[in-house]
Amino acid sequence: MLGVASPAQAEKLNAGFVLNNMGAKEKVGYISGVIEGLAYSRFLRDRPNEDGMICINRWINKDGTKRWKKMEALFARHADKSVSVLLYVLIKGECGE
């Protein structure tokens, strides 16, 4: 069947896969989507307060080049971990839990 991921393919979508197998545009799109998901989740938890969501959405744009290097280093050290978990760890330092 076309377009359906097999279980083996789904298991590979970790930090190592993102770092080593995705092109630049794919990485940006995937990571941006994960960050947007974390921000929306934060909004749902904190609503009507939007401060946490706004902090998370702005996080990537604050010193972007430095952030990307930090993410890539973390992804390389923890290649077997979920991208969302690793990004959560990075973001919570500035935006809280």
Side-chain angles (χ1 to χ4, degrees):
M1 211 179 336
L2 192 61
V4 177
S6 71
Q9 290 173 324
E11 290 175 19
K12 293 181 185 179
L13 191 55
N14 55 28
F17 181 86
V18 171
L19 186 62
N20 299 314
N21 297 91
M22 286 187 174
K25 287 183 180 181
E26 292 171 311
K27 282 182 196 174
V28 169
Y30 184 75
I31 291 170
S32 295
V34 171
I35 292 170
E36 186 175 324
L38 291 171
Y40 187 66
S41 175
R42 179 70 177 269
F43 167 72
L44 290 175
R45 188 189 76 186
D46 296 347
R47 69 181 158 192
N49 186 328
E50 296 181 358
D51 294 344
M53 177 185 69
I54 291 168
C55 180
I56 293 170
N57 279 326
R58 290 183 178 163
W59 179 85
I60 191 67
N61 295 316
K62 184 179 177 183
D63 200 10
T65 302
K66 188 175 180 180
R67 298 242 190 251
W68 281 100
K69 288 181 181 183
K70 193 172 187 176
M71 279 188 280
E72 288 177 343
L74 187 63
F75 290 0
R77 279 195 315 271
H78 302 284
D80 61 326
K81 304 294 185 222
S82 165
V83 170
S84 59
V85 170
L86 296 175
L87 288 173
Y88 173 78
V89 168
L90 286 176
I91 292 169
K92 81 174 187 172
E94 284 187 41
C95 299
E97 293 188 43

